Amino acid sequence: MAATGQERAHDPRCAITAVWWLIFLAGLVVSLAMVFRSQVEGDTLNMLARGWYLAFEGEWLQFGMPTSAGGTSSGGFIALVVGLPLMAWADYRAPAVLVWLLGVVGYLVLDRIVGRVPLPSARLLFAVFYWLNPWRIHYTSFLWNPNFMFFLGALHLCAGYSMRRTPRFWASLVWTLIVGFGFQIHASAAVFGFISVLLWWRGVVRVNWWGVAVGLAVIAGSLVPWSMTMIEGPELIPGETGFPFRNLLFVYPLLKGLIYLLRYPSTALPNQVYDLDFWPTGIADDRMSAAVATVLVATGWITVLVSCASFRRFLRRSRAFLRNQDWSRSDSQWLRGYLFWSLAGVALAFAFSPTSVMFWQGFPVFHVAVLVTVLYMSGLARTRKRDLIRRIVTAYAVLMLAAACVIGVGSTLFRGPGPPVRQDRPSSYDVRHLHINDHPMYHDLAIVDRCGLMIVDQGGWEPDIWREQLVER
């Protein structure tokens, strides 16, 4: 017999679904608004230059972005993911729309897996701590190469989940391509390689080696044009500075990277994100902007305490994770194994890194850090503290959504469109103070009109591929 309207109204599952949709739509609207308000900064312009050459000049550059270790990243995949959206829409925000769409797809993929884990309110908790998270909303709302890692991280978990019991060709192929093509987008994708090896070694996943072989062949084929380019310009080869395991030697860079994992489930974003200025919008003056930023920074570090408690409880079971066991006996057990060995993999990658660990290098495991907190809060929801947990999670949802809205109005990369910020309040992160040498790209992609860059006759800033004369002007 079909349920009546009154019965559906009192069904907890219907209430949970309604709340989930409310959270999803709120995050969707805020993040999409930020995409269309997004501005540009140095790395964005470097990426757009590569895509512009493909879309407007028909030249596919076979080298990636400058790396902190020197040279440029391998392959021409970054030019492809930027250039194709520009062919569809000749606007600097077109690739940002792609980043945003991939962020939405990545969340829905993760939500489907989390929904299969029999934990109290797991989907709602994940919706709050991941989907409404200002880290995720901010970094999937503008074009920057590390921002693609949110989607790749979700894809990595999805493929691993399908290999929890039996080897699968397509999942193994996807795992391999994530590492190879992800590394062409940003070097932080190397984390996937460390994680994948550990998960296979500990039996958390069962790999199909034919899938791995085909993936390696595809990646090798994609790097043939890059190899030819490197022969002609050896200065583009990455890895000129630093050395492996330097972070293990100096300790602090490794510790800093691990602290970032604690910050991901919180509202403790990098300081430059909270460099707020509402003056161009007419909402508030300098004192109000500084006060709002101070509140967000303070509450952000308070929310880190919840992350610390969740990681402490999760890692207390380290001995159990180190033992050989059948990870596939339950979805919740498998997920815990995936999280633990992913954390071990990212710690190893941070230690191996030839340069100091920065906050974006953990983006491939952003979902892992958030899921550790979700497991912790879900466990508390089964205790007598469930009413308190409900109030805390509600407060988190409000705080995270409010932080995202504030960032979308007053933070550096989302202050436009509108008049440029005042000259008496310069910011080192505000590229609207950037003097640039004129180039057709700035006009073809509507960058000058919407971002207020200042064109000068000479001595202005240029994307790296023009400044270093890596391509013909």
Side-chain angles (χ1 to χ4, degrees):
M1 182 181 296
T4 65
Q6 185 176 5
E7 289 173 337
R8 287 195 298 269
H10 290 86
D11 188 349
R13 291 173 297 180
C14 292
I16 290 175
T17 301
V19 174
W20 182 90
W21 273 105
L22 181 63
I23 293 173
F24 178 72
L25 292 175
L28 197 72
V29 170
V30 172
S31 60
L32 185 59
M34 290 172 67
V35 169
F36 286 97
R37 288 178 56 85
S38 65
Q39 302 292 286
V40 295
E41 46 95 38
D43 283 343
T44 306
L45 291 174
N46 286 337
M47 295 181 69
L48 288 171
R50 287 158 171 79
W52 180 86
Y53 265 97
L54 178 63
F56 288 82
E57 298 293 321
E59 183 178 355
W60 186 1
L61 302 181
Q62 293 299 321
F63 55 88
M65 295 282 286
T67 71
S68 54
T72 59
S73 58
S74 58
F77 192 62
I78 190 68
L80 196 64
V81 298
V82 177
L84 291 180
L86 293 178
M87 293 179 184
W89 181 31
D91 190 283
Y92 74 93
R93 293 165 297 177
V97 173
L98 174 62
V99 175
W100 176 80
L101 284 173
L102 292 176
V104 174
V105 173
Y107 167 68
L108 294 177
V109 166
L110 292 171
D111 172 74
R112 183 177 181 183
I113 295 175
V114 171
R116 296 178 179 180
V117 179
L119 295 172
S121 305
R123 285 190 69 206
L124 287 184
L125 289 170
F126 189 70
V128 171
F129 285 94
Y130 183 91
W131 180 245
L132 292 185
N133 193 307
W135 280 90
R136 186 211 62 81
I137 292 179
H138 177 270
Y139 287 105
T140 57
S141 297
F142 69 97
L143 178 62
W144 192 33
N145 45 335
N147 297 351
F148 287 93
M149 297 301 114
F150 290 88
F151 169 72
L152 294 181
L155 197 61
H156 188 272
L157 174 58
C158 179
Y161 181 79
S162 68
M163 294 187 291
R164 68 193 187 281
R165 292 192 177 95
T166 58
R168 295 186 180 274
F169 173 85
W170 291 109
S172 300
L173 173 63
V174 168
W175 253 29
T176 309
L177 296 180
I178 286 173
V179 178
F181 286 110
F183 194 79
Q184 294 187 35
I185 296 177
H186 192 261
S188 62
V191 169
F192 292 122
F194 288 90
I195 292 173
S196 300
V197 170
L198 286 180
L199 290 171
W200 163 75
W201 175 53
R202 301 307 302 174
V204 181
V205 298
R206 292 169 170 80
V207 175
N208 181 291
W209 294 107
W210 284 110
V212 173
V214 173
L216 290 175
V218 171
I219 294 168
S222 72
L223 292 177
V224 170
W226 170 78
S227 301
M228 298 173 65
T229 302
M230 294 304 101
I231 294 174
E232 298 176 359
E235 70 277 4
L236 299 176
I237 299 176
E240 296 177 356
T241 61
F243 55 90
F245 292 109
R246 72 176 295 276
N247 295 332
L248 196 60
L249 178 64
F250 294 109
V251 180
Y252 174 71
L254 174 60
L255 180 62
K256 183 176 69 170
L258 298 178
I259 291 175
Y260 282 129
L261 299 180
L262 298 176
R263 292 172 61 177
Y264 289 157
S266 74
T267 58
L269 277 74
N271 291 335
Q272 62 263 35
V273 177
Y274 288 142
D275 178 22
L276 304 175
D277 185 6
F278 299 109
W279 181 83
T281 65
I283 296 176
D285 57 16
D286 282 350
R287 289 176 296 179
M288 180 62 72
S289 299
V292 172
T294 301
V295 170
L296 288 176
V297 170
T299 54
W301 283 104
I302 291 174
T303 57
V304 172
L305 298 177
V306 175
S307 303
C308 292
S310 61
F311 271 78
R312 178 178 177 272
R313 181 171 180 175
F314 183 76
L315 295 177
R316 284 173 61 183
R317 301 182 57 195
S318 297
R319 291 184 179 179
F321 292 125
L322 293 172
R323 292 196 299 266
N324 292 328
Q325 56 184 292
D326 181 11
W327 297 102
S328 63
R329 60 188 179 189
S330 70
D331 285 349
S332 59
Q333 180 70 7
W334 180 88
L335 181 61
R336 287 181 170 88
Y338 179 93
L339 299 182
F340 178 82
W341 289 107
S342 293
L343 292 175
V346 73
L348 183 59
F350 286 170
F352 184 82
S353 175
T355 60
S356 294
V357 179
M358 305 302 290
F359 67 85
W360 55 80
Q361 288 177 251
F363 283 178
V365 294
F366 181 86
H367 62 293
V368 172
V370 170
L371 282 169
V372 171
T373 298
V374 168
L375 291 178
Y376 174 68
M377 301 299 286
S378 180
L380 293 179
R382 290 178 291 186
T383 68
R384 296 179 181 178
K385 299 179 181 179
R386 57 182 176 272
D387 291 335
L388 174 62
I389 297 303
R390 186 180 296 112
R391 288 192 291 269
I392 291 176
V393 173
T394 302
Y396 252 91
V398 174
L399 174 61
M400 287 185 162
L401 191 59
C405 290
V406 168
I407 291 169
V409 174
S411 192
T412 302
L413 288 173
F414 305 99
R415 287 176 184 152
V421 298
R422 289 173 295 174
Q423 302 300 312
D424 62 348
R425 190 180 184 274
S427 168
S428 60
Y429 294 97
D430 197 335
V431 294
R432 283 175 292 178
H433 289 292
L434 188 64
H435 292 74
I436 58 173
N437 291 332
D438 200 7
H439 189 277
M441 183 189 79
Y442 299 124
H443 306 280
D444 292 338
L445 304 183
I447 297 174
V448 173
D449 296 338
R450 295 189 60 87
C451 300
L453 302 183
M454 303 175 189
I455 299 176
V456 296
D457 293 332
Q458 58 182 354
W461 185 89
E462 294 181 314
D464 66 301
I465 60 175
W466 304 330
R467 183 174 62 250
E468 303 297 338
Q469 298 182 344
L470 301 179
V471 297
E472 294 292 335
R473 293 293 303 273

